[in-house]
Amino acid sequence: MSAPNSSTSYDLIVLGAGVVGTATAYWAARAGLSVCVIDRQGAAGRETSFANGGQISVSHAEPWANPSAPLKVMKWLFDRQAPLVFTPRLDRHQWAWIAGFLRNCTPERARRNTLEIVRLGAYSRAKLQEIRTAERIDYAQRTLGILHFYRDAREFEAAKPVAELMREHGCERRVIGRDEVLAIEPAFAHAIGSIVGATYTAEDESGDARAFTQALAARCQAMGATFLYGAEATRLLLSADGARVAGVEATVEGGHTRLHAPNVVVSMGAWSAPFLRPYGVNLAIYPAKGYSVSIPIEGANGAPQVSLTDDEHKLVYSNLGTHLRVAGTAELSGYSRHLDAERVAVILDNARRTFPAAGNFAQATAWTGLRPTTPSNVPYLGRTRIGGLVLNTGHGTLGWTMAAGSGRIAADLVTERRTEIPMPLAA
């Protein structure tokens, strides 16, 4: 852990050293700001960014809240193996989130939210490529595109107008047939008979979010940024009239420290909402627990090379060189990070059936993390009513996709530069 500088004063404090917070710190440091990043873990990228699905997926922009969602959710409610599991709790924030989700299931809102996500995702993908070129970071990146495959003919037909909408707005998500699926990804040879069609986005990418985040944090430190690991922000410091942020109080090495800054960016993932409630900043963010398994490839030639999305099981696959990452599912069950062995087994079984020669399934490792999800799937990115307090949180399943661009926008807001694209509408 880097110690605070002698004055404990900075231009910017970033709360959270996941991929979103670290990207914010990077762009701010590049703009010449003195930056301090606070994270309770012992290194960057150790929570939601640790073992996610690995996709930079602009093509995965259709929000969970869409006209077909309510019926699907009802069907899945009592199925423990369903892609979405809802555990009702005596938590008004959970029920408020669900009400907001249902409000966003109209065709008009689903279309608007899709376009917001496409725009931010495409911008962010370009910013990621800019960082990769400038900093020469290696994170097992692959630029082979993303193939989204369907086993259900009705779901495939429903995907076609969504793909067309994305193409109209700059995301080249192409509809393809079974033969082209096999040509793009020969590893489907075993399972191709079950596939009715797919969409393919050649511009999308994949890579290890944790490796990227930790390498980027090192670049930030080389530029002079301070990273306080094993530290926890306990409260905001405000001006006497409460109108402006003045810094953060944090627990550092067992003691309380006051860190002063005229700007604070909150990128605390699912914990952003409870942290900000005492200040009247109410965010519709609720944790959606996701799972992943990492299967050692160990020289196996049956692992897919192209990053994939399995529509039926809501799983994503990314080849990260030494292992195949398979991730998915969502549990709306509060802040518990309990690793459910049954959920892990479902993911492994689906992966084994689809790609039986992918690797050493017996040596697979499992992980779970809490995605900070908004009802619309559009993140909170912008200023608040408290001067100097900026939000960059609530990216849900697309944190890795949106991180580089969201970080640039947040840094632009802090430095009062004009953002390169319009900010997304409020989540």
Side-chain angles (χ1 to χ4, degrees):
M1 177 181 74
S2 301
N5 66 24
S6 58
S7 67
T8 65
S9 294
Y10 304 89
D11 296 321
L12 169 65
I13 296 172
V14 179
L15 303 184
V19 67
V20 173
T22 302
T24 303
Y26 170 79
W27 291 112
R30 263 185 59 168
L33 273 61
S34 61
V35 181
C36 177
V37 183
I38 300 173
D39 196 279
R40 63 187 178 182
Q41 296 295 337
R46 292 291 298 272
E47 292 210 16
T48 309
S49 304
F50 185 81
N52 68 10
Q55 291 189 337
I56 306 297
S57 51
V58 181
S59 57
H60 201 180
E62 186 179 16
W64 291 0
N66 60 68
S68 67
L71 286 177
K72 288 182 182 178
V73 171
M74 290 298 296
K75 182 178 71 174
W76 291 336
L77 272 180
F78 304 104
D79 181 358
R80 285 294 303 167
Q81 296 188 3
L84 174 65
V85 172
F86 169 54
T87 305
R89 301 172 62 86
L90 294 175
D91 180 352
R92 63 186 178 88
H93 302 294
Q94 183 190 56
W95 290 97
W97 189 96
I98 292 168
F101 175 87
L102 293 174
R103 284 195 299 272
N104 277 280
C105 286
T106 65
E108 296 79 11
R109 289 197 176 196
R111 178 184 175 88
R112 183 201 72 179
N113 294 335
T114 298
L115 298 183
E116 295 281 3
I117 295 167
V118 166
R119 180 171 58 186
L120 180 56
Y123 172 71
S124 189
R125 186 177 60 198
K127 290 292 141 183
L128 173 67
Q129 293 164 355
E130 183 179 328
I131 294 172
R132 185 168 69 223
T133 300
E135 305 298 339
R136 299 181 182 179
I137 293 175
D138 181 10
Y139 52 96
Q141 64 267 20
R142 291 184 180 234
T143 57
L144 301 175
I146 291 178
L147 193 153
H148 190 145
F149 63 95
Y150 298 83
R151 294 186 176 93
D152 185 286
R154 288 176 298 179
E155 293 291 339
F156 181 45
E157 289 302 315
K160 292 179 180 178
V162 176
E164 182 179 356
L165 175 63
M166 293 183 186
R167 288 195 302 273
E168 289 173 0
H169 293 272
C171 177
E172 291 299 319
R173 185 178 173 186
R174 240 178 358 102
V175 177
I176 63 175
R178 184 185 295 169
D179 291 345
E180 194 169 356
V181 168
L182 194 55
I184 291 171
E185 182 46 78
F188 272 120
H190 173 81
I192 194 64
S194 66
I195 296 172
V196 298
T199 64
Y200 178 61
T201 310
E203 293 80 10
D204 276 347
E205 303 184 2
S206 61
D208 188 327
R210 175 178 30 137
F212 174 86
T213 304
Q214 293 180 350
L216 192 63
R219 299 293 197 278
C220 292
Q221 289 174 303
M223 289 189 284
T226 297
F227 277 67
L228 297 180
Y229 296 124
E232 187 152 8
T234 53
R235 68 184 183 96
L236 294 176
L237 302 177
L238 301 178
S239 60
D241 61 2
R244 284 202 59 86
V245 73
V248 173
E249 185 174 275
T251 302
V252 182
E253 296 181 345
H256 290 286
T257 299
R258 289 192 166 199
L259 307 169
H260 299 281
N263 302 285
V264 173
V265 174
V266 177
S267 297
M268 299 173 70
W271 286 269
S272 299
F275 179 80
L276 289 172
R277 281 178 200 136
Y279 310 99
V281 180
N282 296 307
L283 307 183
I285 292 176
Y286 199 77
K289 183 164 69 172
Y291 291 78
S292 74
V293 297
S294 298
I295 303 163
I297 292 175
E298 297 181 352
N301 60 7
Q305 301 299 308
V306 175
S307 191
L308 309 169
T309 299
D310 179 340
D311 184 77
E312 180 180 2
H313 300 294
K314 309 304 180 192
L315 296 175
V316 301
Y317 293 76
S318 292
N319 188 319
L320 300 180
T322 59
H323 56 279
L324 179 67
R325 175 73 49 73
V326 189
T329 78
E331 291 182 13
L332 297 176
S333 55
Y335 284 79
S336 168
R337 284 176 285 181
H338 169 70
L339 190 65
D340 186 329
E342 183 180 358
R343 302 289 277 173
V344 172
V346 169
I347 294 174
L348 279 172
D349 288 346
N350 285 327
R352 188 183 288 108
R353 284 198 301 270
T354 307
F355 301 108
N360 188 344
F361 286 89
Q363 294 299 314
T365 56
W367 169 88
T368 185
L370 302 180
R371 309 180 189 104
T373 308
T374 67
S376 65
N377 285 167
V378 178
Y380 286 99
L381 180 55
R383 298 183 178 95
T384 68
R385 64 175 187 80
I386 300 174
L389 181 64
V390 173
L391 303 175
N392 190 8
T393 188
H395 297 75
T397 59
L398 295 178
W400 183 203
T401 298
M402 296 179 174
S406 295
R408 175 58 189 266
I409 290 172
D412 285 347
L413 293 175
V414 169
T415 56
E416 298 186 347
R417 291 181 296 187
R418 183 176 180 177
T419 60
E420 295 176 314
I421 64 168
M423 287 185 296
L425 297 175

